[in-house]
Every structure is written in structure tokens, then in C-alpha cells.
Amino acid sequence: MTAREGIVDAHHHLWDLSVRDQEWITGERLAPLRRDFLLADLEPEAKAAGVTASVLVQTATAAEETPEFLALAAGSDLVAGVVGWTDLTDPAVADRLAALRELPGGERLVGIRHQVQGESDPQWLLRPDVLRGLRAVADAGLVYDLVVLAHQLPAAARAAGLVPGLVFVLDHLGKPPIAEGGTRPWSDDVRALAARPNTVCKLSGMVTEADWDTWTTADLAPYAATVLDAFGPGRLMFGSDWPVCRLAASYAEVVGAAHALTDGLGDAERREVFSGTARRVYGL
């Protein structure tokens, strides 16, 4: 896709509950998410915020979801890339990735993600079968999105060291304890990950790690400042995490907070965070 002016939203989701249940949406607090969130819902909010391209990210550990997303992207002027799912532990993972590339919209497959945050083993990323799968992702010319909890960051850093040919993209800053106001050991661990040159971070998911009802930009600032310092603007990219962000903020509020948190950057650095990094890393 030819580069265009405007913001790239490097992280959002879509789902249709009539096609597939989202089993993680349980309980009263998540009830606002138990409805369909379709491309037609996203487009007006994204475009009003100045977004001209986006990356659609997997939500389900289901092989059928990625082909659906690729087909959706193929018919969309907004969705420029898809981060899908495949079983990294499958001995035929390379063939699975190649098959995805042959599907309608397959050229928009830019990365793979697995819900590592749901794995009970904090060393899951270091399993031999997982590392083999990660190498296959690298060989396919794709990147790997890391959705991990803060305590899983050390294993992520080790995996990045063991698979240096793969770009690892950290979602949601590694989920720091914003609501509690603490920074360590998260800050030490995220800096250790950033020390690996093949790592990138998304400025995303902060509002839902903060207090949903009372958060302010000032609450987010220490965490944004940490990743800005650790990764630098050239390895940082904006993501809305829509519609999950709606638990705590509107799309416009998330974009506004990101602008406020990067207000101290120069124009060229801000362009990296809001467009350049995502276009380069995902090959949009």
C-alpha cells in the first residue's frame, strides 16, 4: 500500500458474535464489549480522528479467524494489515503461514499473535516448539506481536535474543500496573526487552490498565515516558486497542491522550509514532 498522510492505528480488533463467540468477554465489567464491533462501527470514529490506515489484530485462538480478517482487509480502504493467529507449535507452521498468504487478502498478512498472557507457564515463549514456530514466522517475513503480562516480559526478552531475525512487537507496553501506580519491576523488564534491537512497542492499551473511571493523562505519563525513552520514537507506534479501550475511553479520547503524551517530541518523531514506525515494521 502506498504511504498516505494521516495516523496509522496499529492495533484494533473487530468481532461478530454471530460468527464466533468471544469467550474472554465474561462478567459485568466486560459486559459493554458483549456486542458486535464491525468495520462499519470503527470507520467513522477512526476517520474522524485522522486515521487513514489500520492494523487489525486477532482476538480468537481459532484458525478460521485469520482468513476472515484477510478477506475483510482485502475489501477495506482502512485495514492495511492483519496480525493473525496460527498454532506456533504445529510442526507444519511454515506451511500454514504459506497457505494464509495464498488466500484472498493474503498479501495483507503482516504478523502473527498468540494469547501468551493466557498461558500459565511464564516461560511459554521459550519452549522449543514455540521457538521453532517463531523462527518460521521470521522466515515468512512476518513480525510477531507480543501480548504478555508484565511478569512474562523477561521470557519475551530472552525469546527476542534467541530469534534475532524476528521483529517482536510488544502490545500495550507489556501491561504495566498503571491503576496501582507502580513502575517496577515492569520498568526494568521493559527496558531489558527494549535493549534487544529486534523489538518494537505499541503505545496502546494504557487506559484499560489504568482506573477505568478516573484515569487522567498524568496517570499514563510515567509509563509512556518509560517506553519513549527505552525504545525511542522510531520503535514506538500508536494503537487504539478499539473496542477494548471503550471500557475506559472513547476512540477520540485515546487518540487525544496519545497526542498529549507525545507532546514533547519534535514533528519528525511524532510522525514516527503515529505513522512511520507502523508502516515500516508492518510493511504497510
Side-chain angles (χ1 to χ4, degrees):
M1 176 176 288
T2 303
R4 295 173 292 173
E5 291 298 320
I7 296 171
V8 175
D9 180 352
H11 195 106
H12 70 83
H13 307 287
L14 299 170
W15 56 76
D16 181 340
L17 296 180
S18 70
V19 174
R20 181 173 303 101
D21 189 24
Q22 300 292 324
E23 296 179 354
W24 58 277
I25 305 176
T26 59
E28 184 178 349
R29 275 171 62 80
L30 298 186
L33 299 180
R34 182 152 282 285
R35 44 153 283 201
D36 297 342
F37 288 95
L38 309 178
L39 186 59
D41 301 312
L42 171 68
E43 286 177 329
E45 295 190 51
K47 291 178 179 179
V51 173
T52 56
S54 74
V55 177
L56 172 57
V57 179
Q58 69 89 218
T59 59
T61 305
E64 298 81 10
E65 183 186 66
T66 303
E68 295 163 3
F69 281 178
L70 294 174
L72 182 68
S76 170
D77 292 330
L78 180 66
V79 179
V82 170
V83 173
W85 180 87
T86 195
D87 183 359
L88 291 177
T89 68
D90 185 341
V93 62
D95 294 334
R96 305 291 185 205
L97 295 172
L100 288 171
R101 280 278 179 67
E102 296 300 316
L103 294 174
E107 73 281 356
R108 299 203 185 188
L109 183 68
V110 296
I112 295 296
R113 188 175 88 149
H114 176 73
Q115 302 282 355
V116 179
Q117 64 182 2
E119 296 289 346
S120 59
D121 179 5
Q123 305 297 311
W124 185 86
L125 283 162
L126 301 175
R127 284 171 35 174
D129 54 350
V130 173
L131 289 170
R132 184 189 63 235
L134 292 172
R135 293 187 182 101
V137 173
D139 291 342
L142 302 171
V143 307
Y144 185 73
D145 266 43
L146 283 165
V147 56
V148 295
L149 302 177
H151 75 276
Q152 296 168 320
L153 284 168
R158 287 186 60 196
L162 291 168
V163 192
L166 178 62
V167 175
F168 289 77
V169 179
L170 179 64
D171 295 347
H172 314 329
L173 288 68
K175 300 202 168 185
I178 300 176
E180 289 76 25
T183 58
R184 299 180 73 179
W186 166 83
S187 58
D188 295 332
D189 293 335
V190 82
R191 287 182 183 279
L193 178 68
R196 303 289 186 182
N198 57 322
T199 61
V200 179
C201 180
K202 288 183 182 177
L203 196 66
S204 65
M206 289 183 288
V207 295
T208 46
E209 295 305 315
D211 186 295
W212 296 356
D213 299 317
T214 65
W215 72 269
T216 66
T217 303
D219 296 331
L220 313 181
Y223 306 92
T226 296
V227 294
L228 271 167
D229 181 61
F231 290 92
R235 289 197 291 144
L236 199 65
M237 62 177 83
F238 165 74
S240 68
D241 198 27
W242 186 94
V244 181
C245 68
R246 289 167 57 104
L247 294 167
S250 68
Y251 197 106
E253 288 170 332
V254 171
V255 174
H259 279 300
L261 293 166
T262 56
D263 190 51
L265 299 179
D267 290 345
E269 292 175 321
R270 285 168 68 89
R271 282 195 295 271
E272 287 291 276
V273 174
F274 286 97
S275 177
T277 301
R279 290 192 180 279
R280 185 172 58 254
V281 170
Y282 285 127
L284 304 182

